Amino acid sequence: MSVTVADIEAARRTIAGQVLRTPMLPAPKLSALTGAEVHVKYENLQVTNSFKDRGALNKLASLDAGARERGVIAMSAGNHAQAVAYHAARLSIPATIVMPVTTPFVKVEATEAHGAEIVLEGESVAEAQVRAETIARERGLTFVHPYDDPLVIAGQGTIALEMLEDVPDLDTLVVPIGGGGLIAGNAIAARARKPQIEIIGAEAALYPSFWNALRGEHRPLGGATLAEGIAVKNVGALTLPIVRALVSDIILVDEVHLERAVNAYLTLQKTMAEGAGAAGLAAMLAEPGKFRGRTVGLVLCGGNIDPRILASIMVRELEREDRIVSFRLTIPDRPGVLGQIATRLGELGANILEVEHRRLFLDVPAKGVKLDVTVETRDAMHGEEVFQALEAEGYQPAWIDTATTME
């Protein structure tokens, strides 16, 4: 192994007092949702709201005076960028960060706020890396890799040491996996402390890099994923053998389960999780039978999510749960009818969200109109009750698939 548990223990001493020892708390609501006994490690509470503080600081602390004076460079979709920028500023080290042009603005803005020079380049982290390596050579900067560096891996591994100290009974860790730095460090630490513990990776289905590398497959990589923090096309040369030796399984999580997991963290745990940060929970939602009855530790590894995306996820989950439903009604086009329908919906306990008249449909009489109504209901049964009431009153309601029309 390129990294040992002794390296991880040394990293822990290095970062002590400069990185938060985040809480590891039981999550009864997530336990009820998944059928497992779930405990969450809240790495979203770090100063930069992700676990990346640990590895970045461990690497920066190792630099000699000359390297610190010349400065450092990193490529990142956001969290590693913020961590390097923040701790470089603390240590008076000039930092340049190359970020893909697809990086959420909230992450670009946060990184720039720490005083780093930002370069936007490429559609992916891989393309950003090419530019970062070129700049590093031209300026003599130290490259701080987000995952394929022994000191970074060791820094991330400090998480598992804390998790097992707080909850010694854990029998499973579910860890998001992109380039592999987080899962590699934590697999080394966890297996050293508890050899029988099972380590499972949660990887975005659109970027099955480790899945392909471990299984010799060639599934396509690419697409817009909520988990951009683990949307990596190239696995680490250092992390791959560690993952192959110590990680028992990789679960691919699709966008629906990522959205459900982000929403569950917000609505059930009252905490912010970005797509990558919620990937471990998404894996449990995707394959609940694999975890039922087990004592599971989840690493909520990041909470840097665009508020607009978060708002969209919450609305979409309401649609999936049939708590936002739409009907198309056929009504006479005369004064007062719309008011009558609004009053009736209020009596039925439905909250009107949107109303749209459609007069040009050819299947409507000249003196008629189609009325699309979107309402908030308590649940699917309540929506059905509203539908039946409108039908009984002659409005000829038809269901509209809101998920399809809104997307």
Side-chain angles (χ1 to χ4, degrees):
M1 296 290 177
S2 56
V3 177
T4 67
V5 70
D7 296 323
I8 296 170
E9 290 168 341
R12 187 178 191 179
R13 293 190 293 271
T14 297
I15 68 176
Q18 302 178 75
V19 168
L20 181 65
R21 191 191 196 286
T22 54
M24 173 76 168
L25 302 174
K29 293 180 180 179
L30 297 185
S31 298
L33 182 66
T34 61
E37 182 184 334
V38 178
H39 299 257
V40 177
K41 181 68 166 168
Y42 288 90
E43 285 296 295
N44 62 334
L45 299 180
Q46 296 290 357
V47 172
T48 65
N49 303 114
S50 96
F51 75 100
K52 292 287 190 176
D53 279 28
R54 297 171 183 262
L57 176 57
N58 196 45
K59 174 68 175 181
L60 293 175
S62 72
L63 301 181
D64 61 27
R68 292 188 181 206
E69 184 176 355
R70 288 189 297 273
V72 298
I73 189 167
M75 92 290 189
S76 167
N79 288 338
H80 180 65
Q82 291 180 60
V84 171
Y86 171 69
H87 289 288
R90 287 183 54 247
L91 299 171
S92 300
I93 301 173
T96 302
I97 311 293
V98 184
M99 310 179 82
V101 296
T102 54
T103 303
F105 177 71
V106 64
K107 295 185 177 182
V108 176
E109 185 180 43
T111 305
E112 197 167 31
H114 294 308
E117 175 188 347
I118 306 298
V119 177
L120 297 177
E121 180 80 21
E123 294 291 322
S124 66
V125 173
E127 293 176 10
Q129 180 173 350
V130 173
R131 179 62 175 155
E133 290 173 343
T134 300
I135 296 174
R137 288 192 298 270
E138 292 173 350
R139 302 185 190 174
L141 307 179
T142 298
F143 188 70
V144 183
H145 199 284
Y147 53 84
D148 215 22
D149 183 294
L151 290 165
V152 171
I153 294 170
Q156 321 304 27
T158 59
I159 295 171
L161 295 181
E162 296 173 8
M163 293 175 76
L164 285 169
E165 286 174 358
D166 291 346
V167 188
D169 293 337
L170 291 175
D171 55 45
T172 308
L173 296 187
V174 189
V175 183
I177 182 170
L182 176 64
I183 199 169
N186 284 282
I188 293 167
R191 293 290 292 274
R193 288 287 183 267
K194 194 172 186 179
Q196 71 274 26
I197 196 168
E198 185 174 17
I199 315 295
I200 296 175
E203 187 167 45
L206 290 174
Y207 290 83
S209 302
F210 264 97
W211 178 282
N212 287 342
L214 295 173
R215 289 168 171 78
E217 296 184 16
H218 301 281
R219 297 193 182 201
L221 290 86
T225 177
L226 182 63
E228 77 282 340
I230 54 174
V232 174
K233 292 186 176 181
N234 301 314
V235 304
L238 299 180
T239 60
L240 178 58
I242 298 171
V243 172
R244 180 177 284 120
L246 300 178
V247 175
S248 64
D249 197 10
I250 304 288
I251 295 175
L252 298 180
V253 290
D254 61 23
E255 297 305 299
V256 171
H257 285 103
L258 286 167
E259 289 183 25
R260 285 186 61 200
V262 168
N263 185 70
Y265 270 123
L266 183 63
T267 58
L268 300 180
Q269 297 306 111
K270 312 304 179 187
T271 192
M272 297 274 279
E274 61 189 89
L281 177 58
M284 296 187 70
L285 297 176
E287 297 191 19
K290 190 175 184 67
F291 304 97
R292 190 167 291 115
R294 309 194 74 175
T295 304
V296 179
L298 292 177
V299 183
L300 199 178
C301 61
N304 290 306
I305 186 168
D306 189 314
R308 179 182 60 84
I309 298 298
L310 184 60
S312 175
I313 288 170
M314 294 178 69
V315 172
R316 287 160 64 89
E317 284 304 301
L318 289 173
E319 294 167 7
R320 291 190 180 104
E321 296 169 2
D322 289 325
R323 293 171 60 192
I324 292 180
V325 295
S326 292
F327 310 113
R328 178 164 292 161
L329 312 179
T330 301
I331 65 173
D333 191 11
R334 63 172 185 260
V337 175
L338 182 58
Q340 293 170 10
I341 293 172
T343 299
R344 184 64 179 125
L345 288 170
E347 293 170 350
L348 293 167
N351 182 35
I352 299 173
L353 300 179
E354 187 175 84
V355 176
E356 183 176 1
H357 283 81
R358 296 178 180 271
R359 288 184 169 82
L360 301 181
F361 285 5
L362 295 180
D363 62 343
V364 182
K367 292 186 177 181
V369 63
K370 293 286 189 184
L371 184 71
D372 290 356
V373 182
T374 301
V375 298
E376 183 180 7
T377 60
R378 294 188 296 273
D379 51 31
M381 184 177 296
H382 185 209
E384 184 64 37
E385 291 172 0
V386 173
F387 181 92
Q388 291 176 4
L390 294 172
E391 188 173 46
E393 293 170 27
Y395 293 119
Q396 304 174 47
W399 293 98
I400 300 175
D401 185 348
T402 55
T404 300
T405 58
M406 293 184 74
E407 288 174 3

